[in-house]
Amino acid sequence: MIQTSITNSLTIGDGYPLALIGGPCVIESEEFTLKMATEIAKVCDRLGISFIFKSSFDKANRTSVDSFRGQNLEAGLKILQRVKTEVGVPVLTDIHESYQAAIAAEVVDVLQIPAFLCRQTDLLVAAAATGKTVNVKKGQFLAPWDMKHVVRKLESAGTQRILLTERGTSFGYNTLVVDFRSLPQMREFGYPIVFDATHSVQMPGGQGNKSGGQRQFVPYLARAATAIGIDALFMEIHENPDTAPSDGPNMIPLAHLETVLKQVLSIRNGLEVAPTVCFS
């Protein structure tokens, strides 16, 4: 059985419903973060979807040095703690440096390793050592089968609480493409697979001093990944993406979230009618 425990009451993988990892790209303010977590949680409750709130306290990989990065570590974790306590959902955030792992793990339920950093051994080991679930995004430059080395680094540090995420592969300059074969290929490593539908339509650096994106394609990719078979869907969501300080062009509007998820769930339910066929 391919399963990863997030909390005592939430597990992702075989035998469990599809989960959503979602939220605004970056923590903009305490009030806005709590509002978004509350509204997304309401949608998930109506649809019966397990929900993990995601927002980054710091975006350390922005295109420009002048771009908005978010909060400092202490302030960001304080806000995420309020989301856990007041909204009652598990929380996930990125870490970028090894020393942040143990500090962030005091609050968050899932430590996320950004795609650009997925090969950083010290960062992976530090995250694994916390005992918290670690979600690693496959680098845009990496073949899916090379993620076995990432998995090995985490396992060697003593954890099997692992999620692996597909978020697109570099395809020429300023654009990405999704090779959906990567989903079953990475699942063969024995851990649940997450599909990041919003970063997969990102256009890195595509607007000169910031990244662009094609959010109109998010529903198509989300449905396609669900049809192939995923354990969780990752989407960045914003009340008004066009005013967002980070990743606005590829985030989906909150107003459309429920419709997108209903489409995804209809496909997921259809897959459960017949067993998956596997052959070589």
Side-chain angles (χ1 to χ4, degrees), residues 43 46-47 49 223 256-269:
V43 172
R46 286 197 292 271
L47 299 178
I49 295 178
R223 295 198 300 265
H256 294 288
L257 174 63
E258 188 158 351
T259 300
V260 173
L261 290 177
K262 284 180 177 177
Q263 293 174 340
V264 164
L265 286 177
S266 68
I267 294 170
R268 172 86 171 192
N269 293 338

Side-chain angles (χ1 to χ4, degrees), residues 4 15 36 42 78 174 197-198 265 267:
T4 289
M36 287 297 299
K42 288 179 181 176
K78 178 183 173 185
N174 300 129
T198 48
L265 286 177
I267 294 170

Side-chain angles (χ1 to χ4, degrees), residues 1 9 37 40 75 108 112 129-130 146 152 159 183 187 191 227 238 255 259 261:
M1 298 286 280
S9 58
I40 298 170
V108 306
Q112 181 165 281
T130 66
D146 286 333
R152 177 63 184 133
T159 190
L183 301 175
R187 206 168 191 273
Y191 296 100
H238 196 279
T259 300
L261 290 177

